[in-house]
Amino acid sequence: MFNLTAEELEKNKAVHTAKEIHQQPTVWQELISDLHQQTESFRGFIDSIYRKHDQVRVIFTGAGTSAFAGDTLVPELRKQNQQNVQFEAIASTDIVSNPTEHLFKDIPTIMVSFARSGNSPESVGAVSLGHQFIDHFYQVVITCNKEGQLAQNIRNDDNSITVLTPEKAHDQGFAMTSSFTSMMIAAYSIFTLKNFIGNESKQIIANAERLVDSIVDTIDEILKFDFERIVYLGSGLLGQLSHEAALKMLELSAGKVIATHESSLGFRHGPKSILNKRSLVVLFMSQDPYTRKYDLDILRELRAESGIKVIALTEKKDQEVEGLAHWTIQVNFEKEDLPSDFYLALLYVIFAQTLALKKSLQIGITPDNPSPEGRVNRVVQGVTIYDYRKVR
């Protein structure tokens, strides 16, 4: 797996992380099979709320990687223009610290909580504040842990549903990998107006199966360049995905690799200052022909920089891109184009996860627990949730 023996994975405490990255196509298949049996019920719940109110907010929330799932998903759902529905992504950390900026009494709201464990204090706190602030408050809990507090708290709540990912998606490694993509797929399946559970899901799984085994040789070649900084760039929802990609490197390298993110256009406006001769830039290229022009512009500019190396991820083979990037990663091996950048995001992140895993091992970090001293933890610790009513 990833050009690593079972003994190497065991010795370097990377078994869980490697397996959880590699298993994603299989987990997606199991998830979609489960959703196929339940989607009508889930959508019926959502549609009943839409019919009941003239206006509905749908807030995707979570902390860290769980928040980035919503950030990546919302632009795609907004494009589908669902009449009286406004999709937003707001981190649970922001809701908890500043509830009056995000929760409004008179606007019916569905809070969609992304949660691997379902026990993060901010996630539970955000829901509690939703009940306090909003007159018509509904919940969709998308979680990998049926025993988590979020799922348990709504067991007898008619205004809430729980959507469970397969047990395999309940990542045991420190970094969220298969849990991230599985929760995004679950949410998209429920809220999209398109028929995802069908040919489109088969297409994305087929590409993921091929990608997860084909990228490792290129990644091993990339790692010959001893980078100390990495920048992820993208436009639109791929710019949002770049936040998660950078976090994976930061987490799995225990902060030894400086990792940041920015939009393709925004990078010139100051953040480009981070580049030095040991920098790697990864560009998530859009398949939208208009947006792609801006991605190509920054790719041309970066290639002219001295010392840095550039990786371009793109849907299909592209001679111009291959001539500009030091390495080019193709993610769609099928004849048909993928429907949108959201589908690319699911494939692009597999590359980012795998690169972070391999870099972690290269610099002597244990990926399953990159912070054994406890600076950061698999489920966040040390958070105090204050009672809003008592403070006020």
Side-chain angles (χ1 to χ4, degrees), residues 247-276:
L247 178 63
K248 285 289 94 57
M249 182 61 74
L250 195 64
E251 288 178 325
L252 291 181
S253 72
K256 291 187 177 181
V257 177
I258 297 172
T260 188
H261 70 285
E262 188 50 80
S263 67
S264 296
L265 274 172
F267 190 51
R268 296 183 183 93
H269 293 261
K272 193 179 174 188
S273 304
I274 195 173
L275 296 180
N276 65 12

Side-chain angles (χ1 to χ4, degrees), residues 225 227-234 238-239 241-243 245-247 249-250 257-264 266-268 270-276 278-284 298 302 308-313 351-352 355:
F225 173 57
F227 63 92
E228 64 180 16
R229 301 181 181 188
I230 187 168
V231 181
Y232 279 95
L233 303 177
L238 296 176
L241 180 74
S242 70
H243 200 167
L247 178 63
M249 182 61 74
L250 195 64
V257 177
I258 297 172
T260 188
H261 70 285
E262 188 50 80
S263 67
S264 296
F267 190 51
R268 296 183 183 93
K272 193 179 174 188
S273 304
I274 195 173
L275 296 180
N276 65 12
R278 292 181 64 188
S279 296
L280 183 66
V281 181
V282 183
L283 177 59
F284 292 151
I298 195 65
L302 289 167
I308 69 164
K309 300 290 186 181
V310 184
I311 304 168
L313 278 82
F351 166 83
L355 179 63

Side-chain angles (χ1 to χ4, degrees), residues 179-191:
S179 54
F180 173 74
T181 54
S182 295
M183 290 191 295
M184 278 208 301
I185 287 172
Y188 182 72
S189 301
I190 294 167
F191 286 96

Side-chain angles (χ1 to χ4, degrees), residues 1-231:
M1 187 187 303
F2 300 129
N3 289 345
L4 297 163
T5 66
E7 292 76 16
E8 288 173 320
L9 291 171
E10 186 71 38
K11 177 183 176 183
N12 295 293
K13 298 181 181 179
V15 172
H16 291 305
T17 307
K19 181 183 71 174
E20 287 155 5
I21 295 169
H22 194 271
Q23 73 182 3
Q24 286 175 101
T26 303
V27 172
W28 298 353
Q29 181 63 69
E30 184 179 343
L31 171 64
I32 288 165
S33 177
D34 292 344
L35 287 171
H36 183 70
Q37 303 173 40
Q38 301 177 73
T39 298
E40 187 174 340
S41 172
F42 292 152
R43 285 189 174 171
F45 172 79
I46 301 299
D47 288 341
S48 70
I49 299 169
Y50 291 170
R51 289 193 300 268
K52 195 180 298 183
H53 304 286
D54 293 334
Q55 180 184 7
V56 177
R57 287 178 88 202
V58 179
I59 298 175
F60 292 94
T61 191
T65 291
S66 295
F68 306 152
D71 291 338
T72 305
L73 182 61
V74 160
E76 174 63 22
L77 293 176
R78 282 180 176 167
K79 281 199 317 185
Q80 297 180 18
N81 190 25
Q82 298 189 28
Q83 297 180 350
N84 65 325
V85 184
Q86 176 62 43
F87 291 101
E88 300 177 55
I90 308 172
S92 58
T93 47
D94 291 335
I95 292 173
V96 166
S97 62
N98 295 83
T100 57
E101 294 181 8
H102 304 295
L103 305 177
F104 308 118
K105 174 181 173 65
D106 297 326
I107 303 179
T109 300
I110 304 172
M111 185 174 286
V112 184
S113 297
F114 290 116
R116 174 171 62 174
S117 71
N119 293 317
S120 294
E122 298 99 333
S123 295
V124 177
V127 168
S128 177
L129 288 164
H131 281 292
Q132 291 177 47
F133 276 74
I134 302 167
D135 286 345
H136 298 283
F137 181 68
Y138 308 90
Q139 286 188 77
V140 176
V141 174
I142 300 178
T143 182
C144 309
N145 182 18
K146 64 182 178 181
E147 302 300 331
Q149 191 173 346
L150 278 178
Q152 291 297 313
N153 285 352
I154 64 169
R155 290 183 67 182
N156 299 310
D157 184 353
D158 293 337
N159 288 329
S160 303
I161 57 171
T162 298
V163 182
L164 288 173
T165 65
E167 181 60 33
K168 288 179 182 177
H170 189 189
D171 297 330
Q172 299 306 298
F174 173 82
M176 292 175 63
T177 53
S178 60
S179 54
F180 173 74
T181 54
S182 295
M183 290 191 295
M184 278 208 301
I185 287 172
Y188 182 72
S189 301
I190 294 167
F191 286 96
T192 182
L193 295 177
K194 299 178 181 179
N195 182 23
F196 175 73
I197 299 177
N199 290 335
E200 290 184 1
S201 63
K202 290 178 182 177
Q203 185 184 15
I204 198 72
I205 291 168
N207 279 305
E209 287 174 338
R210 184 163 174 182
L211 180 68
V212 78
D213 287 321
S214 67
I215 54 174
V216 66
D217 288 339
T218 302
I219 286 175
D220 285 345
E221 185 66 29
I222 292 166
L223 289 172
K224 292 177 183 177
F225 173 57
D226 186 23
F227 63 92
E228 64 180 16
R229 301 181 181 188
I230 187 168
V231 181

